[in-house]
Amino acid sequence: MFREKNPGVQDEWMENGDVSLYDDTRAGVLMVFFRELKAADEGTYRCGVKVSDYTESFTQLQLSVKHVAPVVRREGESAEIICPYDSIYKSNTKSLCKGKCSTRDSNPLSETVREEKDTKTDRLTLKDNVTASVFTGTITGLTAEDAGKYWCAVTLETDLNYLYTHLMVIMNEELNLTKYEGDDVSIQCKHHDEDQKSFCKAHEASMCVKDGVSLETIRDDRFSFSDEASTGVFTVNITDLREEDSGIYWCGAHVMSKVHLNISKDKDSNKLNVYKVTGYSGGGLMIKCEHPQYKTKPKYICKESDGCSERKNPGVQDEWMENGDVSLYDDTRAGVLMVFFRELKAADAGTYRCGVKVSDYTESFTQLQLSVKHDAKYLQMVTESAYVGEEVNISCQIPEEHKVHFCKEDDNHICQNISSSKVTQMSGSSERNEERVFTVSISNVSVRDAGVYWCGAETRDTYLTLIFPTTKIQLNFIMAPVVRHEGESAEIICPYDSIYKSNTKSLCKGKCSTRDSNPLSETVREEKETKTDRLTLKDNVTASVFTGTITGLTAEDAGKYWCAVTLETDLNYLYTHLMVIMNEELNLTKYEGDDVSIQCKHHDEDQKSFCKAHEASMCVKDGVSLETIRDDRFSFSDEASTGVFTVNITDLREEDSGIYWCGAHVITRVSLTVKKDFSMIIIISVCVILLLIGGFTLTVWKLRHKRRGDAHSQLPTNPSDGLLYAAVSLQKHQESLSDATVRFSKNEIHSDYTTIRFTS
């Protein structure tokens, strides 16, 4: 039944709802004016006259309402809204507004343009082409706030809003859900308060403007929704899922989120295999999922505990990309997805799907059940230092049943296989059945070989390869130490690989880009020269060498210096020691058996060492830390507050004589001379002589006594007549004892007497 509209009075314009009417009695005409056509105004109308109570005459009118096709763009893109107009309005001002123009719901994007002029704001440009009777609005850098209903208007006495379109912004973040028949699912959608909340199943978002169904009108009891207006989120709940529910959904309104919903009949129908894997906390894990029959199809990894709602994928193919805490590589040549966990955590444990999207409704995946354990035995960090041209041997321990994997980190911290030509030997030995120790030898190492290596275990199956890097090896290169005296100049030479000739280089005391670098840190790029107060850096790209020169050396300049090349982070690839010999020397002379204390200067961060060598440079490699000295005669005491430690040596020996260097990078030269003690030699010599004389005297006495026994009748009556006397004079060393007298006597009537006198 029709609801009639009439003016109520004749020969006068009258409003009736959303239309205005005029009953012209002079001409017999009814004029009807729709002030603002809406989609609801579409339909079949009768425009008639009531002839009598029982008779009427009418004309039938079929009205359709059209609008400009919706504009659908992704977040961050640009949108172009085209507004055609009647040529009679070519000289009028035109406007593009979000919401009706000249009303309170228009926003700052509202702008006007007149004839051929351009109007620009921060992100909106309007252009009027009067020849084509079209004006165009272009919005750049689309955000969710830009989405909505836009009106094209022409300014007459008031603004004529004659045409509208919908600008729909698709958010970049998509939702991928895989469920099975009979499951339930909850989908969260973002919205603005003024938007009608809708959930639309369609291949394209633009189809949802006309065909989208408001949730309030859904007749399927399996669909319901809950709204949290304060959070700007509403939730769609679908129960008892069916296979025909699979498809692409758009949830929201003008701000659209794309939802991929995949419903499978059987939970195991798309599963290739199931693997149980154990990783180690703090270590890395490389997963290679093989799908050779789907080489170019997009691949992903997701966690089942999250409903696989967050699918990690590279975004691009044949290139390493970071996605959160993992790096991914979709290899289209081999049909392999490589997933690298840089550092496993307990939270990484769970069940994963490593799969490929075959179509919108079909996927194929391998299930991976990952557990994460803590075992220090299988997570080690090793630092190796070598001179260029040497051979380096690296050892690592892996479980017996696994294959060894050896790789080197690239600039993106991805561990890549290294050339077999560099590895001269990989040999393993097993002391127990549970584990093996592998030794990897790299020959003729060069500056290019510096960096981080990983050694670990590898397992391989039909659809999956797992690599566990468990031993991290930092390979550094050493240059001969630079040894200079206090006040001199030092030149530190840093060779580098020619591939880095255009990169910025740095020379730092302490590692570059870390907290232990000091104000002497400086950088240089290509052929330029960098100067500070006492440091000059020069890069010679032809020779692939950059040089740092430090003048006026002081104790503070001494230390360990790193050469670095700036990539994404600084690559500290080469180091040397700058040793500053203090001008003040220490000369000590002692005797065997004496004790000595030697005071040495140091900086708190230096390892305290005491080294015996002809040259200070020998102490870098051959110096022995005092803590490791095994001779009980050596000890030391440290007074950190004074910057001095003391070396104590007891019971000195002649072989302790020599040149010592005490300190660390700040070196003090100590000349120690240990002499033999001649006073002891003289005392021992005197004792030996006395023993010899005593023995000689005793022998003489015995011989004489024997003679007396044979001719006792001839003995003298006075003992002094037969006195035997011997005198020995010796020259005494100035450091010897004073004059000494040794007397031998017997309690007999007859005696022999000897006097020994030492004279200077």
Side-chain angles (χ1 to χ4, degrees):
M1 182 177 180
F2 294 103
R3 182 164 56 90
E4 293 183 355
K5 293 181 183 290
N6 58 72
V9 295
Q10 294 178 318
D11 299 319
E12 186 178 337
W13 278 103
M14 298 296 292
E15 288 190 9
N16 188 319
D18 52 358
V19 298
S20 297
L21 301 101
Y22 188 98
D23 186 355
D24 186 351
T25 58
R26 292 185 298 274
V29 173
L30 174 67
M31 290 182 283
V32 181
F33 177 58
F34 287 81
R35 291 187 295 276
E36 182 187 335
L37 283 173
K38 303 182 293 296
D41 294 327
E42 283 190 332
T44 301
Y45 291 82
R46 289 181 183 178
C47 187
V49 58
K50 185 177 180 180
V51 178
S52 68
D53 289 339
Y54 309 106
T55 308
E56 63 180 15
S57 177
F58 63 87
T59 300
Q60 185 170 290
L61 174 70
Q62 294 179 347
L63 174 64
S64 62
V65 179
K66 295 183 178 180
H67 61 84
V68 178
V71 179
V72 183
R73 294 291 183 271
R74 287 193 170 273
E75 182 182 12
E77 294 180 346
S78 296
E80 189 175 71
I81 299 174
I82 300 173
C83 300
Y85 57 84
D86 195 291
S87 59
I88 63 174
Y89 299 128
K90 66 180 181 181
S91 61
N92 293 76
T93 300
K94 291 88 180 174
S95 302
L96 176 67
C97 310
K98 185 182 177 186
K100 281 191 178 180
C101 298
S102 295
T103 61
R104 286 176 296 177
D105 59 348
S106 62
N107 83 336
L109 279 176
S110 303
E111 279 297 331
T112 60
V113 65
R114 185 179 179 89
E115 297 185 13
E116 289 290 350
K117 298 178 181 178
D118 285 356
T119 300
K120 280 190 177 183
T121 62
D122 185 30
R123 296 189 299 115
L124 173 64
T125 302
L126 262 66
K127 172 80 173 175
D128 186 11
N129 185 341
V130 295
T131 305
S133 297
V134 168
F135 76 93
T136 306
T138 303
I139 308 170
T140 59
L142 289 174
T143 67
E145 286 69 29
D146 297 326
K149 188 176 181 179
Y150 282 78
W151 282 88
C152 305
V154 172
T155 301
L156 304 173
E157 290 184 2
T158 59
D159 287 309
L160 170 62
N161 292 275
Y162 67 93
L163 189 67
Y164 71 88
T165 187
H166 294 273
L167 173 57
M168 305 172 69
V169 178
I170 301 173
M171 306 309 291
N172 291 330
E173 184 179 355
E174 297 182 358
L175 189 61
N176 294 277
L177 298 172
T178 299
K179 295 291 180 180
Y180 301 96
E181 285 194 329
D183 285 351
D184 300 336
V185 68
S186 294
I187 302 170
Q188 288 189 325
C189 308
K190 296 179 181 179
H191 71 93
H192 293 279
D193 292 337
E194 70 275 9
D195 290 338
Q196 182 188 33
K197 304 170 186 70
S198 63
F199 189 67
C200 170
K201 183 179 181 182
H203 289 291
E204 299 295 336
S206 58
M207 298 172 64
C208 290
V209 176
K210 184 176 180 180
D211 302 326
V213 179
S214 173
L215 286 167
E216 290 86 342
T217 63
I218 291 178
R219 297 289 181 262
D220 194 328
D221 293 337
R222 298 183 301 119
F223 288 75
S224 64
F225 85 103
S226 57
D227 188 10
E228 298 178 21
S230 61
T231 62
V233 171
F234 69 92
T235 303
V236 181
N237 303 296
I238 312 174
T239 60
D240 189 23
L241 287 167
R242 303 166 186 171
E243 190 174 15
E244 57 265 28
D245 293 328
S246 296
I248 297 173
Y249 291 80
W250 305 91
C251 77
H254 292 105
V255 179
M256 307 295 286
S257 294
K258 187 177 184 180
V259 180
H260 296 268
L261 181 59
N262 179 37
I263 312 298
S264 297
K265 283 188 176 182
D266 184 356
K267 289 188 177 183
D268 296 324
S269 60
N270 300 321
K271 190 186 300 181
L272 297 175
N273 212 334
V274 180
Y275 298 90
K276 293 184 178 180
V277 179
T278 300
Y280 301 97
S281 178
L285 172 61
M286 175 76 80
I287 302 171
K288 295 183 179 180
C289 305
E290 299 187 15
H291 302 279
Q293 69 273 39
Y294 303 118
K295 292 183 177 181
T296 59
K297 296 287 185 179
K299 303 166 188 70
Y300 67 90
I301 188 168
C302 64
K303 204 171 185 179
E304 285 193 356
S305 60
D306 301 331
C308 268
S309 59
E310 184 184 356
R311 298 194 176 198
K312 295 182 183 290
N313 57 72
V316 297
Q317 294 180 315
D318 299 315
E319 185 177 339
W320 278 104
M321 298 295 291
E322 288 191 12
N323 189 320
D325 53 356
V326 300
S327 297
L328 303 103
Y329 188 100
D330 187 353
D331 185 349
T332 59
R333 292 184 297 275
V336 173
L337 175 67
M338 291 184 281
V339 183
F340 181 55
F341 288 82
R342 293 183 289 277
E343 185 177 341
L344 283 174
K345 305 178 294 294
D348 293 324
T351 301
Y352 291 82
R353 289 183 186 176
C354 191
V356 57
K357 184 177 179 181
V358 180
S359 68
D360 287 339
Y361 311 109
T362 308
E363 62 178 17
S364 176
F365 64 88
T366 298
Q367 191 179 76
L368 180 72
Q369 297 173 359
L370 174 63
S371 60
V372 179
K373 294 183 178 180
H374 179 75
D375 190 341
K377 178 176 66 175
Y378 290 120
L379 182 59
Q380 300 178 14
M381 298 186 67
V382 179
T383 300
E384 297 283 348
S385 297
Y387 289 93
V388 174
E390 286 186 344
E391 181 176 272
V392 176
N393 295 313
I394 301 170
S395 296
C396 64
Q397 182 176 293
I398 64 168
E400 175 70 27
E401 69 275 11
H402 292 87
K403 178 183 176 183
V404 68
H405 182 85
F406 191 70
C407 58
K408 183 187 178 189
E409 280 190 9
D410 61 13
D411 295 344
N412 297 316
H413 304 289
I414 306 299
C415 207
Q416 305 280 17
N417 291 334
I418 60 175
S419 170
S420 58
S421 62
K422 290 298 298 181
V423 179
T424 57
Q425 184 180 358
M426 293 179 67
S427 58
S429 62
S430 178
E431 297 180 358
R432 297 182 297 169
N433 292 330
E434 295 86 1
E435 60 191 37
R436 288 182 296 171
V437 176
F438 259 86
T439 300
V440 180
S441 298
I442 306 177
S443 62
N444 192 27
V445 293
S446 65
V447 172
R448 180 177 289 191
D449 296 319
V452 175
Y453 292 81
W454 285 91
C455 183
E458 177 180 323
T459 60
R460 183 185 295 271
D461 198 40
T462 306
Y463 302 105
L464 194 72
T465 298
L466 298 170
I467 298 168
F468 300 93
T470 54
T471 303
K472 182 179 181 179
I473 306 103
Q474 174 69 56
L475 180 58
N476 300 322
F477 289 95
I478 316 169
M479 292 183 294
V482 178
V483 184
R484 294 291 184 272
H485 279 85
E486 183 181 13
E488 294 180 346
S489 296
E491 189 176 69
I492 298 174
I493 300 173
C494 300
Y496 58 84
D497 196 288
S498 58
I499 62 173
Y500 300 129
K501 66 180 180 180
S502 61
N503 294 76
T504 301
K505 290 90 180 175
S506 302
L507 177 66
C508 310
K509 185 182 178 188
K511 283 194 175 181
C512 298
S513 292
T514 60
R515 287 176 295 179
D516 58 348
S517 61
N518 82 336
L520 278 177
S521 304
E522 277 297 332
T523 60
V524 64
R525 186 179 178 92
E526 296 185 15
E527 291 287 354
K528 298 178 182 177
E529 186 174 271
T530 302
K531 279 191 176 184
T532 61
D533 185 30
R534 295 188 299 113
L535 173 64
T536 302
L537 260 66
K538 174 74 175 178
D539 187 12
N540 185 340
V541 295
T542 305
S544 296
V545 167
F546 74 95
T547 306
T549 303
I550 308 170
T551 59
L553 290 174
T554 66
E556 286 70 27
D557 298 327
K560 188 175 183 178
Y561 282 77
W562 283 88
C563 306
V565 171
T566 300
L567 305 173
E568 288 187 1
T569 57
D570 287 306
L571 170 63
N572 294 274
Y573 66 94
L574 188 68
Y575 70 85
T576 187
H577 295 272
L578 173 57
M579 305 172 68
V580 177
I581 302 173
M582 305 309 290
N583 293 331
E584 183 181 354
E585 297 183 359
L586 188 60
N587 294 281
L588 298 172
T589 301
K590 295 291 179 180
Y591 295 95
E592 284 191 332
D594 286 352
D595 301 336
V596 68
S597 295
I598 303 171
Q599 288 190 327
C600 308
K601 295 179 180 179
H602 72 93
H603 292 276
D604 292 338
E605 71 274 10
D606 291 336
Q607 183 187 33
K608 304 168 186 70
S609 62
F610 190 67
C611 171
K612 183 179 181 181
H614 291 292
E615 298 294 336
S617 58
M618 298 171 64
C619 291
V620 175
K621 188 174 182 180
D622 302 325
V624 179
S625 172
L626 285 167
E627 289 86 341
T628 63
I629 291 178
R630 297 290 181 261
D631 194 327
D632 294 338
R633 297 183 303 119
F634 288 75
S635 65
F636 84 105
S637 57
D638 187 10
E639 298 177 24
S641 61
T642 62
V644 170
F645 68 93
T646 303
V647 180
N648 304 295
I649 313 174
T650 60
D651 189 22
L652 285 168
R653 302 167 186 170
E654 189 177 17
E655 58 266 27
D656 293 329
S657 296
I659 297 172
Y660 291 82
W661 307 91
C662 80
H665 294 104
V666 179
I667 302 293
T668 299
R669 187 178 188 271
V670 180
S671 177
L672 177 61
T673 302
V674 181
K675 297 182 178 180
K676 289 185 179 293
D677 192 342
F678 286 100
S679 62
M680 289 297 297
I681 295 174
I682 292 172
I683 292 172
I684 294 171
S685 300
V686 168
C687 292
V688 171
I689 292 172
L690 291 177
L691 289 173
L692 290 174
I693 293 174
F696 175 75
T697 304
L698 182 60
T699 303
V700 171
W701 177 82
K702 285 183 177 181
L703 289 174
R704 287 183 176 274
H705 183 71
K706 184 177 180 182
R707 290 174 186 167
R708 291 193 193 102
D710 294 339
H712 56 84
S713 58
Q714 300 178 8
L715 289 174
T717 58
N718 188 347
S720 61
D721 294 340
L723 178 64
L724 298 177
Y725 179 87
V728 180
S729 295
L730 299 173
Q731 295 294 320
K732 179 174 77 68
H733 189 278
Q734 61 180 358
E735 296 181 5
S736 301
L737 300 175
S738 303
D739 293 349
T741 300
V742 181
R743 184 184 302 276
F744 297 90
S745 64
K746 292 181 180 282
N747 295 325
E748 296 179 3
I749 298 174
H750 306 288
S751 63
D752 295 329
Y753 179 83
T754 303
T755 297
I756 301 176
R757 181 177 301 277
F758 298 90
T759 58
S760 299

